[in-house]
């Protein structure tokens, strides 16, 4: 198995690089890719930089250039569902682009012709995530993640995303990564730990909790890798 493990920001993959120990670094398409062996799995680890475009480039590169056959995303997210508190884990059941809007032509939000509003996650990787949660006795929320090229720190925009897509959390990369994996038939799993509530305090909370929440997510991903290896 060749497993891609990606994040958007350096903080999101640093705990993974620390855990794998030795790795080789390859520069390609203006980014760095870290090749490592972990429990007999071949890993390719990378952070994309922020947003849908960079994450599309990185996900595509991980699959097409580095030949990965499974993709796990680890990172942080803003909470929409108020059951989700800072540090909690959410795994996406499906993902949507909340900022994709050609409603002027009668299409629903998040839809373009020949595309789909929601992209569904891989059932087997979801099951693996649930098994890990049970093993660790950690709550794992399953829900809808909304993605857009905006850091949301606005209760009104947050509420609109909640109502329009029934989304539980939001971030800036998941749906684009999901779209790439879906198109290329690569099973994927988008895992996030909450860093803020996408409200007026989001900027401050994000800065405060980025590292600790990114570590929560990365630690969980490592347990998923343990299971995929065995
Ligand atoms: O990769 C981006 C990061 C914020 S932008 C998306 N990530 C974090 C998830 C996220 C998020 N996305 C949208 C956590 N909270 C979010 C929110 N809205 N409220 C960034 C952060 N720091 C420096 C530069 N850019």
């Amino acid at each position: 198995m060749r497993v891609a493990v990606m994040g958007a920001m350096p903080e999101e993959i640093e705990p993974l690089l620390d855990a794998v120990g030795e790795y080789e670094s390859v520069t390609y398409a203006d980014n760095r890719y870290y090749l490592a062996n972990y429990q007999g799995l071949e890993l390719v680890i990378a952070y994309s930089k922020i947003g849908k475009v960079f994450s599309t480039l990185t996900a595509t590169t991980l699959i097409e250039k580095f030949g990965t056959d499974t993709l796990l995303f680890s990172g942080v997210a803003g909470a929409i569902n108020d059951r989700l508190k800072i540090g909690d884990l959410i795994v996406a059941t499906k993902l949507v682009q909340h900022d994709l809007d050609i409603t002027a032509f009668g299409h629903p939000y998040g839809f373009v012709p020949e595309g789909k509003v929601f992209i569904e996650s891989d059932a087997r990787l979801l099951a693996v995530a649930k098994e890990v949660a049970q093993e660790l006795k950690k709550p794992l929320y399953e829900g809808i993640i909304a993605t857009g090229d905006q850091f949301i720190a606005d209760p009104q925009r947050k509420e609109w995303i909640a109502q329009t897509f029934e989304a539980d959390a939001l971030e800036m990369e998941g749906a684009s990564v999901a779209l790439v994996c879906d198109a290329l038939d690569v099973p994927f799993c988008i895992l996030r730990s909450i860093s803020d509530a996408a409200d007026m305090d989001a900027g401050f909370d994000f800065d405060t909790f980025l590292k600790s929440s990114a570590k929560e997510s990365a630690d969980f991903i490592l347990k998923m890798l343990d299971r995929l290896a065995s």
Side-chain angles (χ1 to χ4, degrees):
M1 248 183 144
R2 269 202 153 201
V3 184
V5 189
M6 73 174 279
M9 304 179 72
E11 290 85 350
E12 291 174 327
I13 66 157
E14 266 154 21
L16 296 161
L17 293 178
D18 289 345
V20 299
E22 267 183 41
Y23 50 82
E24 181 194 340
S25 160
V26 177
T27 299
Y28 185 80
D30 211 20
N31 200 9
R32 269 203 292 278
Y33 293 82
Y34 303 96
L35 313 184
N37 280 300
Y38 180 74
Q39 317 271 24
L41 296 173
E42 293 178 64
L43 299 187
V44 188
I45 304 170
Y47 73 89
S48 57
K49 299 185 278 292
I50 292 160
K52 294 193 294 179
V53 175
F54 280 124
S55 58
T56 298
L57 173 62
T58 298
T60 306
T61 302
L62 281 163
I63 295 164
E64 290 291 297
K65 164 78 179 167
F66 290 97
T68 55
D69 52 39
T70 303
L71 187 150
L72 308 180
F73 189 104
S74 182
V76 300
I80 297 179
N81 188 326
D82 42 66
R83 285 165 55 206
L84 285 168
K85 305 299 179 199
I86 286 167
D88 285 353
L89 290 163
I90 175 168
V91 63
T93 52
K94 52 185 188 172
L95 301 101
V96 56
Q97 296 182 60
H98 68 68
D99 59 350
L100 185 53
D101 178 357
I102 57 163
T103 55
F105 302 96
H107 294 296
Y109 286 105
F111 181 83
V112 296
E114 299 180 54
K116 41 195 166 188
V117 177
F118 292 102
I119 297 175
E120 288 189 26
S121 302
D122 180 67
R124 187 176 146 252
L125 290 174
L126 266 180
V128 171
K130 282 200 246 187
E131 286 163 22
V132 168
Q134 282 205 321
E135 175 199 334
L136 298 177
K137 298 189 167 59
K138 250 183 188 288
L140 173 67
Y141 293 81
E142 289 171 61
I144 298 175
I145 292 185
T147 301
D149 283 328
Q150 302 159 347
F151 182 82
I152 308 292
D154 170 2
Q156 269 184 318
R157 178 72 187 162
K158 170 182 166 176
E159 191 50 34
W160 182 86
I161 294 168
Q163 297 298 328
T164 308
F165 304 107
E166 295 184 82
D168 298 292
L170 55 84
E171 34 84 311
M172 302 175 69
E173 298 86 15
S176 39
V177 171
L179 185 145
V180 168
C181 292
D182 186 58
L184 294 173
D185 248 324
V186 168
F188 68 92
C189 180
I190 310 287
L191 181 81
R192 299 270 185 173
S193 171
I194 300 303
S195 56
D196 58 84
D199 56 10
M200 312 255 258
D201 302 323
F204 179 85
D205 287 344
F206 178 84
D207 283 337
T208 309
F209 297 108
L210 168 61
K211 275 205 176 165
S212 56
S213 294
K215 175 102 171 55
E216 282 289 327
S217 176
D219 286 347
F220 193 95
I221 289 285
L222 288 164
K223 293 284 183 188
M224 287 183 69
L225 291 172
D226 290 343
R227 267 185 190 262
L228 293 178
S230 66

